[in-house]
Short mmCIF file of all heavy atoms in Angstrom, two decimals:
data_model
loop_
_atom_site.label_atom_id
_atom_site.label_comp_id
_atom_site.label_asym_id
_atom_site.label_seq_id
_atom_site.Cartn_x
_atom_site.Cartn_y
_atom_site.Cartn_z
N PHE A 1 -63.33 34.46 -12.42
CA PHE A 1 -61.91 34.26 -12.22
C PHE A 1 -61.76 33.24 -11.03
O PHE A 1 -60.88 32.43 -10.91
CB PHE A 1 -61.08 35.55 -11.92
CG PHE A 1 -59.62 35.37 -11.75
CD1 PHE A 1 -58.73 35.10 -12.78
CD2 PHE A 1 -59.12 35.35 -10.49
CE1 PHE A 1 -57.46 34.86 -12.61
CE2 PHE A 1 -57.84 35.06 -10.27
CZ PHE A 1 -56.92 34.85 -11.25
N VAL A 2 -62.55 33.53 -9.90
CA VAL A 2 -62.43 32.81 -8.66
C VAL A 2 -62.64 31.41 -9.02
O VAL A 2 -61.96 30.53 -8.52
CB VAL A 2 -63.39 33.31 -7.51
CG1 VAL A 2 -63.32 32.37 -6.38
CG2 VAL A 2 -62.91 34.74 -7.17
N ALA A 3 -63.67 31.03 -9.73
CA ALA A 3 -64.12 29.65 -10.06
C ALA A 3 -63.00 29.05 -10.86
O ALA A 3 -62.64 27.84 -10.81
CB ALA A 3 -65.31 29.61 -10.81
N TRP A 4 -62.34 29.86 -11.82
CA TRP A 4 -61.28 29.41 -12.67
C TRP A 4 -60.17 29.02 -11.91
O TRP A 4 -59.51 28.00 -12.02
CB TRP A 4 -60.91 30.43 -13.77
CG TRP A 4 -59.87 30.14 -14.58
CD1 TRP A 4 -59.70 29.38 -15.72
CD2 TRP A 4 -58.43 30.65 -14.39
NE1 TRP A 4 -58.46 29.34 -16.16
CE2 TRP A 4 -57.70 30.04 -15.38
CE3 TRP A 4 -57.93 31.58 -13.39
CZ2 TRP A 4 -56.37 30.43 -15.57
CZ3 TRP A 4 -56.51 31.81 -13.55
CH2 TRP A 4 -55.76 31.31 -14.62
N TRP A 5 -59.79 29.83 -10.93
CA TRP A 5 -58.64 29.60 -9.97
C TRP A 5 -58.89 28.26 -9.21
O TRP A 5 -57.95 27.45 -9.03
CB TRP A 5 -58.44 30.68 -9.09
CG TRP A 5 -57.31 30.50 -8.10
CD1 TRP A 5 -55.92 30.71 -8.36
CD2 TRP A 5 -57.36 29.99 -6.82
NE1 TRP A 5 -55.23 30.41 -7.27
CE2 TRP A 5 -56.00 29.97 -6.26
CE3 TRP A 5 -58.43 29.71 -5.91
CZ2 TRP A 5 -55.81 29.47 -4.99
CZ3 TRP A 5 -58.19 29.28 -4.67
CH2 TRP A 5 -56.83 29.16 -4.25
N MET A 6 -60.13 28.10 -8.74
CA MET A 6 -60.47 26.86 -8.00
C MET A 6 -60.39 25.62 -8.92
O MET A 6 -59.87 24.71 -8.46
CB MET A 6 -61.90 27.03 -7.45
CG MET A 6 -62.09 28.04 -6.33
SD MET A 6 -63.77 28.33 -5.84
CE MET A 6 -64.03 26.73 -5.09
N TRP A 7 -60.85 25.79 -10.10
CA TRP A 7 -60.85 24.66 -11.10
C TRP A 7 -59.43 24.26 -11.29
O TRP A 7 -59.13 23.01 -11.06
CB TRP A 7 -61.36 25.04 -12.48
CG TRP A 7 -61.46 24.01 -13.47
CD1 TRP A 7 -62.54 23.19 -13.75
CD2 TRP A 7 -60.44 23.62 -14.31
NE1 TRP A 7 -62.21 22.28 -14.76
CE2 TRP A 7 -61.06 22.54 -15.06
CE3 TRP A 7 -59.12 23.96 -14.60
CZ2 TRP A 7 -60.13 21.81 -16.17
CZ3 TRP A 7 -58.32 23.30 -15.56
CH2 TRP A 7 -58.99 22.31 -16.32
N ARG A 8 -58.53 25.22 -11.58
CA ARG A 8 -57.04 24.75 -11.72
C ARG A 8 -56.42 24.15 -10.41
O ARG A 8 -55.73 23.20 -10.53
CB ARG A 8 -56.30 26.02 -12.12
CG ARG A 8 -56.67 26.31 -13.59
CD ARG A 8 -55.53 27.15 -14.27
NE ARG A 8 -55.59 27.13 -15.73
CZ ARG A 8 -54.73 27.71 -16.61
NH1 ARG A 8 -53.71 28.32 -16.11
NH2 ARG A 8 -54.89 27.63 -17.88
N SER A 9 -56.75 24.81 -9.38
CA SER A 9 -56.13 24.30 -8.04
C SER A 9 -56.55 22.85 -7.66
O SER A 9 -55.86 21.97 -7.35
CB SER A 9 -56.56 25.24 -6.92
OG SER A 9 -56.04 26.60 -7.21
N ILE A 10 -57.85 22.66 -7.82
CA ILE A 10 -58.44 21.36 -7.47
C ILE A 10 -58.04 20.26 -8.46
O ILE A 10 -57.61 19.25 -7.98
CB ILE A 10 -59.99 21.48 -7.39
CG1 ILE A 10 -60.56 22.23 -6.27
CG2 ILE A 10 -60.58 20.05 -7.35
CD1 ILE A 10 -62.04 22.64 -6.30
N TYR A 11 -58.08 20.56 -9.67
CA TYR A 11 -57.70 19.52 -10.72
C TYR A 11 -56.12 19.28 -10.69
O TYR A 11 -55.62 18.13 -10.84
CB TYR A 11 -58.19 19.77 -12.03
CG TYR A 11 -59.67 19.39 -12.15
CD1 TYR A 11 -60.62 20.35 -12.42
CD2 TYR A 11 -60.09 18.06 -11.86
CE1 TYR A 11 -61.95 20.02 -12.59
CE2 TYR A 11 -61.42 17.71 -11.93
CZ TYR A 11 -62.42 18.66 -12.38
OH TYR A 11 -63.69 18.37 -12.40
N LEU A 12 -55.43 20.29 -10.37
CA LEU A 12 -53.92 20.10 -10.24
C LEU A 12 -53.62 19.12 -9.07
O LEU A 12 -52.71 18.37 -9.20
CB LEU A 12 -53.24 21.50 -10.12
CG LEU A 12 -51.76 21.41 -10.05
CD1 LEU A 12 -51.14 21.02 -11.46
CD2 LEU A 12 -51.15 22.78 -9.66
N SER A 13 -54.31 19.36 -7.99
CA SER A 13 -54.18 18.52 -6.91
C SER A 13 -54.45 17.06 -7.19
O SER A 13 -53.89 16.10 -6.62
CB SER A 13 -54.88 18.96 -5.69
OG SER A 13 -56.32 18.80 -5.82
N LYS A 14 -55.40 16.81 -8.10
CA LYS A 14 -55.75 15.41 -8.45
C LYS A 14 -55.05 14.72 -9.48
O LYS A 14 -55.14 13.58 -9.74
CB LYS A 14 -57.32 15.51 -8.89
CG LYS A 14 -58.35 15.86 -7.71
CD LYS A 14 -59.70 15.92 -8.28
CE LYS A 14 -60.79 16.26 -7.10
NZ LYS A 14 -60.70 15.37 -6.04
N LEU A 15 -54.16 15.53 -10.22
CA LEU A 15 -53.41 14.98 -11.22
C LEU A 15 -52.41 14.08 -10.72
O LEU A 15 -51.64 14.38 -9.87
CB LEU A 15 -52.83 16.15 -12.08
CG LEU A 15 -51.90 15.66 -13.26
CD1 LEU A 15 -52.83 15.28 -14.36
CD2 LEU A 15 -51.06 16.96 -13.83
N PRO A 16 -52.40 12.79 -11.22
CA PRO A 16 -51.37 11.77 -10.66
C PRO A 16 -49.98 12.22 -11.11
O PRO A 16 -49.71 12.61 -12.11
CB PRO A 16 -51.77 10.47 -11.39
CG PRO A 16 -53.14 10.68 -11.99
CD PRO A 16 -53.26 12.14 -12.31
N GLY A 17 -49.06 12.08 -10.08
CA GLY A 17 -47.68 12.12 -10.29
C GLY A 17 -47.21 13.58 -10.18
O GLY A 17 -47.63 14.57 -10.69
N PHE A 18 -46.12 13.76 -9.28
CA PHE A 18 -45.53 14.99 -8.98
C PHE A 18 -44.88 15.61 -10.26
O PHE A 18 -45.04 16.87 -10.55
CB PHE A 18 -44.44 15.02 -7.91
CG PHE A 18 -43.78 16.24 -7.68
CD1 PHE A 18 -44.46 17.26 -6.90
CD2 PHE A 18 -42.52 16.51 -8.15
CE1 PHE A 18 -43.75 18.46 -6.69
CE2 PHE A 18 -41.86 17.66 -7.87
CZ PHE A 18 -42.51 18.69 -7.18
N GLY A 19 -44.26 14.88 -11.08
CA GLY A 19 -43.65 15.33 -12.29
C GLY A 19 -44.72 15.94 -13.25
O GLY A 19 -44.46 17.07 -13.83
N ARG A 20 -45.96 15.29 -13.40
CA ARG A 20 -46.91 15.86 -14.20
C ARG A 20 -47.51 17.14 -13.63
O ARG A 20 -47.72 18.04 -14.44
CB ARG A 20 -48.13 14.86 -14.37
CG ARG A 20 -47.78 13.63 -15.08
CD ARG A 20 -47.34 13.82 -16.60
NE ARG A 20 -47.27 12.76 -17.40
CZ ARG A 20 -46.21 11.83 -17.45
NH1 ARG A 20 -45.21 11.97 -16.56
NH2 ARG A 20 -46.17 10.99 -18.31
N LYS A 21 -47.62 17.24 -12.30
CA LYS A 21 -48.07 18.41 -11.64
C LYS A 21 -47.12 19.51 -12.01
O LYS A 21 -47.48 20.69 -12.40
CB LYS A 21 -48.19 18.29 -10.20
CG LYS A 21 -49.34 17.41 -9.74
CD LYS A 21 -49.42 17.33 -8.23
CE LYS A 21 -50.60 16.73 -7.73
NZ LYS A 21 -50.60 15.24 -7.87
N LEU A 22 -45.83 19.39 -11.86
CA LEU A 22 -44.88 20.33 -12.24
C LEU A 22 -44.89 20.75 -13.65
O LEU A 22 -44.81 21.97 -14.04
CB LEU A 22 -43.45 19.87 -11.89
CG LEU A 22 -42.23 20.87 -11.97
CD1 LEU A 22 -42.46 21.93 -10.89
CD2 LEU A 22 -41.05 20.06 -11.52
N ARG A 23 -45.06 19.80 -14.57
CA ARG A 23 -45.12 20.18 -15.93
C ARG A 23 -46.38 21.14 -16.31
O ARG A 23 -46.24 22.06 -16.97
CB ARG A 23 -45.21 19.02 -16.91
CG ARG A 23 -43.96 18.20 -16.97
CD ARG A 23 -44.13 16.93 -17.81
NE ARG A 23 -43.09 16.00 -17.85
CZ ARG A 23 -42.99 14.81 -18.57
NH1 ARG A 23 -44.06 14.53 -19.34
NH2 ARG A 23 -42.00 14.07 -18.60
N VAL A 24 -47.51 20.79 -15.64
CA VAL A 24 -48.65 21.56 -15.87
C VAL A 24 -48.55 22.96 -15.32
O VAL A 24 -48.90 23.93 -16.00
CB VAL A 24 -49.95 20.80 -15.34
CG1 VAL A 24 -51.03 21.70 -15.28
CG2 VAL A 24 -50.21 19.48 -16.08
N MET A 25 -47.94 23.06 -14.19
CA MET A 25 -47.76 24.33 -13.58
C MET A 25 -46.82 25.32 -14.51
O MET A 25 -47.12 26.40 -14.72
CB MET A 25 -47.10 24.24 -12.17
CG MET A 25 -48.01 23.63 -11.16
SD MET A 25 -47.16 23.35 -9.58
CE MET A 25 -46.76 25.05 -9.06
N ILE A 26 -45.81 24.63 -15.06
CA ILE A 26 -44.93 25.29 -15.90
C ILE A 26 -45.67 25.73 -17.22
O ILE A 26 -45.62 26.89 -17.69
CB ILE A 26 -43.65 24.52 -16.19
CG1 ILE A 26 -42.82 24.26 -15.05
CG2 ILE A 26 -42.88 25.31 -17.27
CD1 ILE A 26 -41.65 23.39 -15.20
N ASP A 27 -46.39 24.82 -17.77
CA ASP A 27 -47.17 25.26 -19.03
C ASP A 27 -48.07 26.25 -18.77
O ASP A 27 -48.39 27.21 -19.53
CB ASP A 27 -47.82 23.93 -19.65
CG ASP A 27 -46.87 23.18 -20.42
OD1 ASP A 27 -45.68 23.62 -20.60
OD2 ASP A 27 -47.26 22.08 -20.92
N TRP A 28 -48.89 26.25 -17.66
CA TRP A 28 -49.83 27.20 -17.27
C TRP A 28 -49.26 28.57 -17.05
O TRP A 28 -49.78 29.67 -17.50
CB TRP A 28 -50.67 26.82 -16.04
CG TRP A 28 -51.74 25.91 -16.34
CD1 TRP A 28 -52.36 25.52 -17.50
CD2 TRP A 28 -52.52 25.12 -15.30
NE1 TRP A 28 -53.29 24.67 -17.33
CE2 TRP A 28 -53.35 24.34 -16.03
CE3 TRP A 28 -52.31 25.02 -13.93
CZ2 TRP A 28 -54.34 23.52 -15.37
CZ3 TRP A 28 -53.30 24.11 -13.31
CH2 TRP A 28 -54.31 23.37 -14.01
N THR A 29 -48.06 28.59 -16.49
CA THR A 29 -47.35 29.77 -16.28
C THR A 29 -46.90 30.46 -17.66
O THR A 29 -46.92 31.63 -17.87
CB THR A 29 -46.04 29.67 -15.43
OG1 THR A 29 -46.54 29.01 -14.19
CG2 THR A 29 -45.38 31.03 -15.10
N PHE A 30 -46.34 29.54 -18.48
CA PHE A 30 -45.94 30.11 -19.86
C PHE A 30 -47.18 30.67 -20.61
O PHE A 30 -47.03 31.64 -21.31
CB PHE A 30 -45.34 28.92 -20.71
CG PHE A 30 -43.83 28.75 -20.45
CD1 PHE A 30 -43.30 28.42 -19.28
CD2 PHE A 30 -42.97 29.04 -21.60
CE1 PHE A 30 -42.03 28.37 -19.14
CE2 PHE A 30 -41.71 28.90 -21.46
CZ PHE A 30 -41.10 28.64 -20.23
N GLU A 31 -48.40 30.01 -20.43
CA GLU A 31 -49.47 30.55 -21.17
C GLU A 31 -49.96 31.83 -20.76
O GLU A 31 -50.47 32.63 -21.57
CB GLU A 31 -50.65 29.42 -20.94
CG GLU A 31 -51.89 29.76 -21.71
CD GLU A 31 -53.07 30.21 -20.95
OE1 GLU A 31 -53.02 30.06 -19.71
OE2 GLU A 31 -53.96 30.87 -21.51
N LEU A 32 -49.54 32.32 -19.57
CA LEU A 32 -49.90 33.60 -19.19
C LEU A 32 -49.05 34.74 -19.85
O LEU A 32 -49.45 35.88 -19.88
CB LEU A 32 -49.72 33.72 -17.67
CG LEU A 32 -50.64 32.94 -16.67
CD1 LEU A 32 -50.30 33.07 -15.22
CD2 LEU A 32 -52.05 33.31 -16.88
N PHE A 33 -47.87 34.41 -20.21
CA PHE A 33 -46.84 35.37 -20.80
C PHE A 33 -46.51 35.16 -22.23
O PHE A 33 -46.09 36.13 -22.92
CB PHE A 33 -45.62 35.34 -19.92
CG PHE A 33 -45.84 35.64 -18.45
CD1 PHE A 33 -45.81 34.63 -17.59
CD2 PHE A 33 -46.05 36.92 -18.06
CE1 PHE A 33 -46.10 34.82 -16.20
CE2 PHE A 33 -46.23 37.14 -16.72
CZ PHE A 33 -46.27 36.15 -15.75
N PHE A 34 -46.90 34.00 -22.80
CA PHE A 34 -46.47 33.71 -24.20
C PHE A 34 -47.63 33.22 -24.92
O PHE A 34 -48.52 32.62 -24.57
CB PHE A 34 -45.32 32.65 -24.13
CG PHE A 34 -44.04 33.06 -23.44
CD1 PHE A 34 -43.74 32.63 -22.18
CD2 PHE A 34 -43.16 33.88 -23.98
CE1 PHE A 34 -42.73 32.95 -21.51
CE2 PHE A 34 -42.04 34.30 -23.38
CZ PHE A 34 -41.75 33.86 -22.01
N PRO A 35 -47.61 33.46 -26.32
CA PRO A 35 -48.74 32.96 -27.13
C PRO A 35 -48.78 31.40 -27.18
O PRO A 35 -47.77 30.67 -26.98
CB PRO A 35 -48.38 33.50 -28.51
CG PRO A 35 -46.82 33.83 -28.50
CD PRO A 35 -46.48 34.11 -27.07
N ARG A 36 -49.92 30.91 -27.57
CA ARG A 36 -50.23 29.53 -27.70
C ARG A 36 -49.30 28.84 -28.85
O ARG A 36 -49.10 29.60 -29.82
CB ARG A 36 -51.61 29.12 -27.85
CG ARG A 36 -52.46 29.69 -26.69
CD ARG A 36 -53.86 29.26 -26.67
NE ARG A 36 -54.62 29.73 -25.68
CZ ARG A 36 -55.68 29.30 -25.09
NH1 ARG A 36 -56.12 28.07 -25.43
NH2 ARG A 36 -56.42 29.85 -24.08
N ASP A 37 -48.92 27.71 -28.67
CA ASP A 37 -48.07 26.99 -29.68
C ASP A 37 -48.96 26.66 -30.88
O ASP A 37 -50.04 26.06 -30.77
CB ASP A 37 -47.50 25.72 -29.08
CG ASP A 37 -46.44 25.11 -29.94
OD1 ASP A 37 -46.40 25.48 -31.12
OD2 ASP A 37 -45.69 24.19 -29.49
N LEU A 38 -48.56 27.18 -32.06
CA LEU A 38 -49.33 26.99 -33.25
C LEU A 38 -48.75 25.87 -34.17
O LEU A 38 -49.20 25.77 -35.34
CB LEU A 38 -49.48 28.31 -34.09
CG LEU A 38 -50.16 29.49 -33.32
CD1 LEU A 38 -50.24 30.68 -34.22
CD2 LEU A 38 -51.58 29.06 -32.91
N SER A 39 -47.85 25.13 -33.73
CA SER A 39 -47.33 23.94 -34.44
C SER A 39 -48.41 22.84 -34.61
O SER A 39 -49.20 22.67 -33.58
CB SER A 39 -46.17 23.42 -33.86
OG SER A 39 -46.30 22.99 -32.55
N ALA A 40 -48.42 22.20 -35.66
CA ALA A 40 -49.36 20.97 -35.92
C ALA A 40 -48.51 19.75 -36.15
O ALA A 40 -48.23 19.38 -37.32
CB ALA A 40 -50.23 21.32 -37.21
N PRO A 41 -48.10 19.07 -35.11
CA PRO A 41 -47.12 18.05 -35.08
C PRO A 41 -47.73 16.67 -35.68
O PRO A 41 -46.97 15.78 -35.82
CB PRO A 41 -46.71 17.89 -33.73
CG PRO A 41 -47.82 18.29 -32.89
CD PRO A 41 -48.53 19.38 -33.69
N LEU A 42 -48.93 16.51 -35.84
CA LEU A 42 -49.53 15.21 -36.21
C LEU A 42 -48.94 14.83 -37.63
O LEU A 42 -48.92 15.65 -38.54
CB LEU A 42 -51.03 15.23 -36.30
CG LEU A 42 -51.79 15.05 -34.93
CD1 LEU A 42 -53.26 14.85 -35.12
CD2 LEU A 42 -51.23 13.81 -34.14
N PRO A 43 -48.63 13.50 -37.76
CA PRO A 43 -48.09 13.11 -39.08
C PRO A 43 -49.24 13.02 -40.08
O PRO A 43 -50.41 13.08 -39.78
CB PRO A 43 -47.45 11.73 -38.81
CG PRO A 43 -48.37 11.24 -37.57
CD PRO A 43 -48.59 12.46 -36.91
#
C-alpha cells in the first residue's frame, strides 16, 4: 500500500495542468466508494 500511495502521489504531481490533477483526484476518490463504470462508449 505504501508503494501504491507513493505511485499515485508522485505521478499526480507530474500530471500537466491543475484541472487534470483535480479531475484525477476526484475520479480516484470516487473509485474508493463506487463501482467502476461498465459502460462501453466506443462507436
Side-chain angles (χ1 to χ4, degrees):
F1 179 84
V2 172
W4 173 80
W5 180 84
M6 293 175 65
W7 184 95
R8 287 203 162 181
S9 301
I10 290 172
Y11 281 120
L12 183 64
S13 69
K14 295 178 181 295
L15 184 67
F18 176 76
R20 291 301 189 282
K21 287 182 171 69
L22 187 59
R23 288 182 187 179
V24 168
M25 290 174 64
I26 292 171
D27 277 357
W28 277 346
T29 303
F30 268 67
E31 187 252 339
L32 294 174
F33 300 103
F34 300 99
R36 301 188 186 209
D37 191 344
L38 297 182
S39 57
L42 279 187

